[in-house]
Amino acid sequence: MADHDDETLAGSAVEKAEPQKISAGTAVIPADPFENPGEPQHHIRMTDKDPAEEKRAARQVSTLFFASIVFSCLAVAAYIAFPIKDGDTGSIRLNNLFLGLGIALGLLAIGIGAVHWSKAIMPAREITEQRHLTRGSDATRAKAVEVFELGNKESGFGRRSLIRNSLFGALFAFILPGVVIFRDLGPKVDPNVVLRHTLWKKGMHLTLDPSGTRIKAADVTLGSAFHVIPESLLDSEDLLEEKAKAAVLLMRLKPEDLHEPEGREDWQYNGIVAYSKICTHVGCPVALYEQQTHHLLCPCHQSTFDVTENCKVIFGPASRPLPQLPITVDDQGYLVAQSDFHEPVGPSFWERDRA
Amino acid sequence: MFSSSKATATAGRKRVGRRSPLATVSLIVVGLLTTGGAYALFTSTATAETGSGTTSAVSQDKVNEGQKLFAANCATCHNMSGSGTTEGPSLIGVGAAAVDFQVGTGRMPAAANGPQALEKPVQFTNEQIQAMAAYVASLGTGPSEPQSKYLKENGNAANGAELFRINCAMCHNVAGAGGALTEGKFAPSLKGVSSKHIYEAMLTGPQNMPVFNDMNITPQDKADIITYLKYLEKNPSPGGFQLGDLGPVSEGLFIWIFGLGAIVAITVWLTARSH
Amino acid sequence: MSATTESPVETHEVGYAEQGNMPLRPAKGSKLMGAAANYIDERTSVSGLVKEVGRKIFPDHWSFMLGEVALYSFVVILLSGTFLTFFFQPSMAEVTYNGSYVPLKGIDMSAAMQSALNISFEIRGGLLFRQIHHWAALLFIAAIGLHMLRIFFTGAFRKPREINWFIGFVLFILALAEGFTGYSLPDDLLSGNGLRIIDGMVKGIPVLGVWISYLLFGGEFPGTAIVSRLYSLHIMLLPALLIAMLGAHLLLLVINKHTQFSGPGKTNNNVVGVPVMPVFAAKAGGFFFIVFGVIVLIASLFTINPIWNYGPYDPSPVSAGTQPDWYIGFADGALRLAPPHWEVVWGGYTVSFNILVPIVVLMGLLATVAFYPFIEGWVTGDKREHHILDRPRNAPTRTAIGAALMTLYAALWAAASSDLMATHFKLSIDQVIHVMQFLTVVGPFIAFWITKRVCLGLQRKDREIALHGHESGRIVRLPGGEFIEVHTPLTEYERWTLVSYNEYEPLMVRPNERGVITPVERVRAAVSGFFFEDRISPVTKAEIEASHHDSHGAIDAGDSHH
């Protein structure tokens, strides 16, 4: 390209493009550097010296390629010979194993053959290629500068500021609809409102997950842990979304082990307490209940809550206690909620503590 | 349930087509597990039946023998009357199932003070365990050993799997590989645990495990859970070796050490000079 | 292309001139090849490209193949992934599973989960391809990681390759994004809890968090949109970006030519190695099949991501040992390490530092990696091109910084498996976390200090060897009764490898042309001092000569100095 550059046209642009002397920064330039001794003597392979060796290597390579053909055919055969039988995981295992082995060995034989070919038979002599500075030659750069200057001159991009700036404005504005259009990725309601409510409400029965069977208080024996969902959940349209907020763990401790804070003494029933299962850290289900130590552990990030102390955090990255669901019994002795949770469940968010 | 006959049918059919070396190895493993499991099952169900058959009229001899064993081996921690000390909890009302589980898995007598009692070689014969169970059962009513019909491993595996995920997997891992609890305690792996012991553990809530009484998980549900766990043992993963069922961590370690390790070894061969 | 050996080049030219005539004395088969080559060249002028790159030289070193491992894994991912798209349904519509896997029969799940199960259990080779895809993804990112470490520790990112380093970094991030979006697609319990964690993290972002989560999931978590949205990203946007970036990465590799290790015959102005045609092409092509083969071998023998064990996503259950794939582990670990109660309410607004601090630490780590070449370039002020790689010991501060960053990464990564460490090494999980917290905060400094000392020690040893030769292990007694060890002198080639490296001095602060010392310059001088205060200069010619004179009289007996 540079060959065709017209030297006379280059003009002042060359000076502009002319780089400063390349700086070595704080590098120490040795006064009398060592001389590069040049390449050491070339290494002669067995296959270079001995024609028989070369022949042998060639035979090995072709054998590997032939083997690859065989393995690929075996893979096809395995595909047919090891069908998947309905309900039999063993047949899937065999299909996976033999189909895979056939393909794998076929591929490996090609690969090893090709590498062996290149290493043992193709010329091993190393070749030296010269490098050039990455930057374009001065003439090329001058031409490039000129192209830009010409473009600028002919279009008036630098001079006609009104055109230029209005174009910038337009290019910015045209992105806006592309951003706004993503608003409807989510529904119209304010999430800060939705996050505060769950299916629990006064009189809602506590039922077993997943069957939806009501739970009698008398059946919750000491040391038990029941995984609980609200009775109306199974009829809910947004089952998973509601379950993701409403899942509850029910435990029975000795009443004297519980240290309920003031105003919440009647949220439990005979030592039966119900806490949200959704971790206040990032929302994993906290369900590892230890019935002797009364610790609740989250398996994702190891936040540990003390059930006897109102599920306050005693270890791990969580900050807030698990929200408690106030419960009582109905006239038949089934456990029911007294109300919804009194605070949002799950991970904290910016407007969580706004009324 | 519909899958019960199916599960056994597939297990039977599967025996036929195994021919690869990998399959042979896994067949041996499966064989050992099933025969071992079946053996354990037969022995334990036999005793369970005799146990439950005579609970009402448990021979006083047996209770007396159990009391002697109890006094010699358990009373240090649980007190002569079984009412417990600071070292060990009260055993009044824990029932025969708890004794069979704790002693039958070797957890009791406990070896040393640790975060939790560990599984060890069993210290007593079946007879002796039954005697102690009878004695403890006589201290107060508690869960007795399970009926053998719930231990046949022919329940609904799908129902069992769902219940297992909801009630058990958070501690024991979805594949029953076990997991960590707080302060050095852990939920043990469920692999190779006999059906009876799984049942008893759910029923009695040993150590820090919560109790899952029959109102929470019905006996049939428990049988389903056992069916699922035994299904996992009998049917090795269709994908090949399971790397301990520990999930992404063992997969990640494997790819770094063996996958990338093998490939780096190959690059060294690839760029080494030929002789 | 027939233009690979010398004689066909000429005949090709002739053929071109004569409008498609064949090479002289064509061998059987080459007639067709020649015609085909001619046909293509007349329409694409591809011969110019072949001439340009066909004999390009690639240096041979095992560590230069790591990027290729990543590239080939990516090709395997594309191939296997395409197969999977033929069967996978990215839909969260609820269905009842009625496939062949007994423990899931009759269970409600999403169509995505069902189709992933059907790929595994109903289609011959489906499970194999799922496992190939997933194992290849793990290998892809692992290879990228190792490749980046090699580039970093050998200083291959220096001018003119800073931009290519940055492109590589972008590729790494895109690979992580690909990995995470793919991990979430089957909608199983493990990945669902992974998404739940993402949801929780996003909600912790001040002001906008809730809204971002709401738009991402199309409403409340988990919603019915996320799988199809991630699928679009996973199979369209992210691969397109990845391929574009990969193209740029490889183009710059060709333009810049490959770096090489210092050695006899190798200079900053040349590149010594094997030509693309035919040696490197055969090696690299063969290596593709080997990488592919290793991945398929692993996939046929080892289970990965057994979604049938995890079951469908349900917000209530969770499995012990819920972890992300390894490459997201460092982020999960960072979340685990925050101490309790790092959350405050300021003016009625909740600020979750237990989430923000880990995010900031991760961003800081990644930003340092992304911009390191520009930082080092600014500190040294070295504007020369560098094509000879540093031995890690010859850049002690850089190597130590690398070790510190690796330690930070490793501590975060290990923290993500704290529960498994606790169960497998019989430790308390609380202790494990505390140790990891310590390692995260203090470990990098310890690693920095140790690594720097080790590098300087190794450099000193190199100096000794360059000056006095190798210790031969032979002890002789001098006539005077003194015992000394004989040193065997170095060959010219060995010495060159030891003495040819760059040395930098700390920057002295000097006033600029207006006689002012700018604050920026002050910072630069301070950082430069931090980098280069402790250093071992390479042996000079004069020193070698002096040592020779010293020991000249005792050449038979070896060097009696030191």
Side-chain angles (χ1 to χ4, degrees), chain A residues 23 26 28 36 79 86 118 127 129 131 134 185 194 209 241 243 245 277 300-301 317 320 348 350 353, chain C residues 57 100 124 220 223 229 258 265 269 271 273 283 314 316 332 336 343 350 354 380 383 385 503 505:
Chain A
S23 157
T26 58
V28 180
N36 193 322
Y79 186 82
D86 193 34
S118 81
I127 296 176
E129 189 186 359
R131 289 183 197 271
T134 308
L185 278 174
V194 189
D209 184 14
E241 291 73 26
K243 195 174 186 181
K245 290 187 296 186
K277 252 173 97 171
C300 294
H301 303 104
R320 295 167 179 279
S348 295
W350 181 245
D353 294 277
Chain C
I57 299 302
S100 63
R124 280 179 285 176
E220 280 189 275
R229 286 178 185 174
H258 209 288
N269 299 321
V271 49
K283 257 189 197 180
D314 176 333
S316 168
D332 193 52
R336 291 184 185 210
E343 196 179 287
T350 308
N354 50 356
T380 61
K383 300 277 184 277
E385 292 193 1
E503 185 200 2
E505 281 173 346

Side-chain angles (χ1 to χ4, degrees), chain A residues 205-318:
Chain A
H205 279 94
L206 277 69
T207 61
L208 275 178
D209 184 14
S211 65
T213 321
R214 290 185 180 183
I215 302 164
K216 265 211 160 92
D219 292 342
V220 185
T221 49
L222 208 60
S224 283
F226 283 56
H227 295 262
V228 168
I229 48 177
E231 189 167 38
S232 65
L233 178 73
L234 295 180
D235 306 322
S236 167
E237 270 181 38
D238 304 318
L239 192 142
L240 291 185
E241 291 73 26
E242 292 300 342
K243 195 174 186 181
K245 290 187 296 186
V248 156
L249 190 67
L250 191 69
M251 293 151 286
R252 179 158 188 180
L253 289 73
K254 290 180 191 145
E256 63 266 28
D257 283 342
L258 291 170
H259 304 97
E260 300 291 67
E262 224 168 289
R264 287 166 64 164
E265 297 90 347
D266 61 339
W267 285 17
Q268 46 121 343
Y269 179 79
N270 279 350
I272 302 175
V273 285
Y275 282 96
S276 166
K277 252 173 97 171
I278 312 305
C279 188
T280 54
H281 177 221
V282 284
C284 276
V286 189
L288 283 74
Y289 173 55
E290 300 177 357
Q291 64 133 322
Q292 290 178 351
T293 57
H294 311 300
H295 291 168
L296 259 175
L297 173 70
C298 174
C300 294
H301 303 104
Q302 284 74 45
S303 295
T304 310
F305 304 86
D306 187 346
V307 182
T308 63
E309 294 290 340
N310 211 250
C311 278
K312 75 164 191 204
V313 179
I314 52 172
F315 185 77

Side-chain angles (χ1 to χ4, degrees), chain A residues 46 93 98 119 219 223 291-292, chain B residues 20 205 208 213 237 269 275:
Chain A
M46 290 298 284
R93 193 177 165 97
F98 287 110
K119 281 182 57 166
D219 292 342
Q291 64 133 322
Q292 290 178 351
Chain B
S20 79
N208 264 305
N213 64 32
S237 164
W269 166 70
H275 290 297

Side-chain angles (χ1 to χ4, degrees), chain A residues 31-255:
Chain A
D32 57 338
F34 281 92
E35 257 154 56
N36 193 322
E39 263 185 272
Q41 207 171 13
H42 182 64
H43 165 82
I44 311 262
R45 298 171 300 187
M46 290 298 284
T47 43
D48 296 326
K49 287 184 276 196
D50 183 356
E53 278 290 326
E54 194 185 357
K55 231 177 185 172
R56 210 166 68 105
R59 217 168 35 238
Q60 285 166 340
V61 171
S62 57
T63 310
L64 278 164
F65 289 159
F66 277 122
S68 171
I69 298 174
V70 172
F71 286 127
S72 295
C73 293
L74 281 178
V76 175
Y79 186 82
I80 300 158
F82 295 98
I84 290 175
K85 298 183 201 123
D86 193 34
D88 178 4
T89 52
S91 69
I92 303 168
R93 193 177 165 97
L94 291 180
N95 181 276
N96 186 66
L97 176 68
F98 287 110
L99 182 62
L101 283 182
I103 296 174
L105 294 175
L107 292 165
L108 287 173
I110 299 180
I112 295 168
V115 172
H116 189 42
W117 185 5
S118 81
K119 281 182 57 166
I121 301 173
M122 293 182 190
R125 185 170 289 278
E126 295 203 311
I127 296 176
T128 303
E129 189 186 359
Q130 291 308 305
R131 289 183 197 271
H132 310 284
L133 276 185
T134 308
R135 64 190 292 273
S137 71
D138 289 345
T140 314
R141 287 160 67 115
K143 196 75 187 170
V145 169
E146 207 177 303
V147 167
F148 274 116
E149 284 191 341
L150 197 62
N152 187 14
K153 202 171 117 198
E154 290 181 352
S155 66
F157 193 81
R159 193 161 37 89
R160 299 180 197 276
S161 58
L162 188 63
I163 294 186
R164 186 186 64 228
N165 295 343
S166 58
L167 174 65
F168 284 153
L171 287 178
F172 174 73
F174 113 102
I175 299 169
L176 291 177
V179 175
V180 171
I181 204 168
F182 284 107
R183 167 60 187 91
D184 279 357
L185 278 174
K188 298 210 164 40
V189 272
D190 183 346
N192 285 304
V193 177
V194 189
L195 280 174
R196 281 164 208 281
H197 301 288
T198 73
L199 281 180
W200 293 108
K201 60 181 185 198
K202 189 175 162 57
M204 174 76 71
H205 279 94
L206 277 69
T207 61
L208 275 178
D209 184 14
S211 65
T213 321
R214 290 185 180 183
I215 302 164
K216 265 211 160 92
D219 292 342
V220 185
T221 49
L222 208 60
S224 283
F226 283 56
H227 295 262
V228 168
I229 48 177
E231 189 167 38
S232 65
L233 178 73
L234 295 180
D235 306 322
S236 167
E237 270 181 38
D238 304 318
L239 192 142
L240 291 185
E241 291 73 26
E242 292 300 342
K243 195 174 186 181
K245 290 187 296 186
V248 156
L249 190 67
L250 191 69
M251 293 151 286
R252 179 158 188 180
L253 289 73
K254 290 180 191 145

